[in-house]
Amino acid sequence: MFPALALSMQQLQPAASLPLLSCLRRAYSTSGAAAATNWFSHVEMAPRDPILGVTEKFLADKNPDKINLGVGAYRDDNGQPVVLESVREAERRVAGSHFMEYLPIGGLRDFVSESVKLAYGDDSPVVAAGQVAAVQSLSGTGSCRLFAEFQRRFMPHSSVYIPVPTWSNHHNIWRDAGVAQNGYRYYKPETRGLDFEGLMEDIKNAPNGSVFLLHACAHNPTGVDPTPEQWQAMSKLMLDKSHFAFFDMAYQGFATGDCTRDAAAIRIFIDDGHRVGLSQSYAKNMGLYGQRVGCFSLVCDSAAEAAKVESQMKLIARPMYSNPPLHGALLVSKILHDADLKQQWYQEVGVMAARIKDMRGLLRHNLQQLGSPHNWQHITDQIGMFCYTGMSGEMVDTLAAAHSIYMTRNGRISMAGVNTKNVARLAEAMHAVTKEAKM
Ligand SMILES: Cc1ncc(COP(=O)(O)O)c(C=O)c1O
């Protein structure tokens, strides 16, 4: 029945130890009939993604008052997704563009150069000297993945130091790139703040020349960032230790509402002479979640080195996805290129950050009004999109089962999902599940 296949299987006899071929040989038995089996029949159900799995549970809930505080996507005070006015205007300007060709492997040049300036600063000497190798990427996730692959290729025996805790996908990204992972202390449950001593100790004890993944601002999931002084101390110590800092900046503008202030850590490191790596994402700060638009850059010693490094970045990207998507990059470059549009966007990021800050205040106030025995100061101390409440996995389960309120089991609330209409109900439910507990 499959003579061509039978012939080629024989020809391929020496490679019969390959699992795929042996399965095919079994499937297409000597009778020539296809057996009802395949080489992926043993594949098991993968575990749900801890973050996206929350949305699946939320969608299955029939309660009209259900609340989703799982995914980090901004919502307005009516719980609706937002398209920024600056983005709408950029869309008007892009509409009708007759350019729908492939982008180059490294993406839209204008977009890349504006992105790099946004992160490192308009007057950054390393940008002016052409020392920054950069490519457009598939949002923040794609940037991290490109870097992890770059690290494996060019520092094959290195591992990556990842904060404990971190965005859960970081572990998947470096695992799939085949890079070993170590944790460094970051969060102190007792203070619900930064474990600065632990962090400095771990930086000090790591072998010289280690790679450290740092959240540039609005740390996910804790909402806890180092102060500028602490960043300075980290930078000095990391320089002494010849460590390499890879910054993941998924929330520029979302921490303080000011894109320049939120990039301060990167600029401190650059001023100190570090050669850093950086992942940028426009998912949150421009609301371009589904457009998958980001930028991956590495600061090199010279323009000549940057050219070589960039060529290798493209070599990694080419077999992964050939070239990045066009539309989102056009929107971002329109906004960043036009002084008025850029100003409007800055202001809109500020509004989103301010609304989240207000909700932090309101949630804490409501809990206090209910007579909660716990100190909820960390809700307002933490910044960015997330609040690491300190609630346990069991409490989170009860919130879902008894109150139709959904969040990740580490007790992380996406503050972007909190609004003036649901904050009272959220506070009541949190009070109900925590009032008898020791926290
Ligand atoms: C810390 C961190 N890095 C990277 C990302 C990647 O986001 P995206 O790939 O949507 O840009 C996220 C998104 O939640 C994040 O929180």
Side-chain angles (χ1 to χ4, degrees):
M1 198 172 172
F2 296 102
L5 180 68
L7 183 66
S8 61
M9 293 300 285
Q10 265 162 16
Q11 284 167 338
L12 288 168
Q13 187 74 18
S17 60
L18 289 173
L20 168 61
L21 288 184
S22 56
C23 288
L24 281 172
R25 285 164 67 83
R26 247 184 285 124
Y28 297 104
S29 61
T30 43
S31 71
T37 174
N38 63 52
W39 55 270
F40 41 83
S41 57
H42 66 284
V43 171
E44 287 174 9
M45 185 63 77
R48 275 181 171 169
D49 182 272
I51 299 174
L52 301 181
V54 175
T55 302
E56 288 172 29
K57 288 190 196 153
F58 168 80
L59 291 173
D61 189 330
K62 301 268 186 301
N63 183 347
D65 294 326
K66 62 188 176 178
I67 304 175
N68 186 2
L69 305 175
V71 181
Y74 184 77
R75 299 287 178 261
D76 66 13
D77 198 45
N78 295 313
Q80 295 305 309
V82 172
V83 179
L84 301 183
E85 279 310 312
S86 49
V87 170
R88 289 230 187 268
E89 178 54 29
E91 278 198 311
R92 276 191 281 275
R93 295 185 193 182
V94 165
S97 153
H98 42 254
F99 183 78
M100 295 250 179
E101 298 294 303
Y102 289 130
L103 280 175
I105 305 171
L108 190 66
R109 228 40 245 175
D110 260 9
F111 161 84
V112 171
S113 57
E114 288 299 328
S115 293
V116 158
K117 279 196 275 173
L118 183 69
Y120 297 97
D122 282 333
D123 52 358
S124 162
V126 289
V127 174
Q131 284 170 250
V132 184
V135 293
Q136 186 186 327
S137 63
L138 305 189
S139 213
T141 308
S143 300
C144 289
R145 186 67 174 84
L146 288 177
F147 172 73
E149 187 62 31
F150 190 93
Q151 180 184 350
R152 191 191 58 76
R153 284 189 191 194
F154 296 102
M155 279 229 276
H157 304 299
S158 68
S159 61
V160 63
Y161 282 76
I162 292 184
V164 181
T166 194
W167 178 50
S168 53
N169 210 20
H170 281 148
H171 296 295
N172 306 330
I173 290 169
W174 269 268
R175 181 202 58 217
D176 279 8
V179 175
Q181 300 175 31
N182 297 295
Y184 67 86
R185 280 170 284 174
Y186 190 84
Y187 178 77
K188 202 170 192 169
E190 304 87 66
T191 60
R192 303 224 162 88
L194 186 69
D195 184 356
F196 185 61
E197 289 73 32
L199 175 154
M200 291 295 273
E201 233 172 78
D202 289 347
I203 292 176
K204 197 161 152 227
N205 292 336
N208 285 5
S210 296
V211 174
F212 274 75
L213 167 65
L214 302 165
H215 295 226
C217 62
H219 183 273
N220 177 7
T222 67
V224 173
D225 284 352
T227 62
E229 295 72 31
Q230 287 170 331
W231 277 121
Q232 269 153 8
M234 287 161 67
S235 168
K236 296 272 181 301
L237 182 57
M238 287 184 66
L239 206 56
D240 286 349
K241 295 280 304 176
S242 307
H243 290 332
F244 181 84
F246 178 72
F247 286 98
D248 181 1
M249 184 158 64
Y251 300 93
Q252 187 177 8
F254 255 95
T256 64
D258 176 335
C259 289
T260 302
R261 271 178 72 192
D262 284 1
I266 296 162
R267 299 182 193 181
I268 287 170
F269 274 60
I270 296 286
D271 286 349
D272 283 349
H274 283 275
R275 302 289 181 239
V276 306
L278 172 64
S279 159
Q280 287 170 264
S281 165
Y282 292 95
K284 325 281 173 166
N285 58 10
M286 280 200 194
L288 295 176
Y289 305 92
Q291 296 290 351
R292 313 310 294 144
V293 55
C295 185
F296 162 45
S297 55
L298 287 170
V299 177
C300 304
D301 279 344
S302 64
E305 185 183 286
K308 290 185 209 160
V309 166
E310 205 171 284
S311 72
Q312 293 292 341
M313 292 171 162
K314 291 176 194 166
L315 206 61
I316 293 170
R318 173 67 168 147
M320 276 191 190
Y321 52 84
S322 271
N323 42 67
L326 171 65
H327 189 68
L330 280 176
L331 299 180
V332 175
S333 70
K334 284 273 176 250
I335 292 172
L336 297 183
H337 250 305
D338 182 295
D340 292 339
L341 262 191
K342 191 172 177 183
Q343 204 46 48
Q344 185 180 7
W345 170 60
Y346 277 154
Q347 194 241 331
E348 289 182 295
V349 182
V351 168
M352 291 193 283
R355 195 191 79 72
I356 289 178
K357 198 160 171 249
D358 287 350
M359 289 309 109
R360 289 180 180 278
L362 218 47
L363 179 58
R364 181 179 166 195
H365 174 77
N366 274 271
L367 283 160
Q368 282 164 347
Q369 290 295 103
L370 290 164
S372 173
H374 305 298
N375 177 0
W376 294 102
Q377 190 186 324
H378 57 286
I379 296 180
T380 48
D381 283 351
Q382 297 170 358
I383 55 174
M385 211 176 241
F386 301 108
C387 173
Y388 212 45
T389 59
M391 289 189 292
S392 66
E394 290 69 38
M395 291 173 184
V396 170
D397 293 343
T398 311
L399 281 173
H403 302 274
S404 296
I405 295 175
Y406 294 86
M407 62 189 69
T408 47
R409 280 196 97 243
N410 57 6
R412 184 195 81 163
I413 287 180
S414 171
M415 290 304 301
V418 182
N419 56 53
T420 53
K421 284 108 188 160
N422 67 17
V423 67
R425 195 168 104 64
L426 171 63
E428 279 158 25
M430 283 173 69
H431 182 51
V433 303
T434 58
K435 63 184 173 194
E436 310 288 351
K438 240 178 130 237
M439 281 181 70

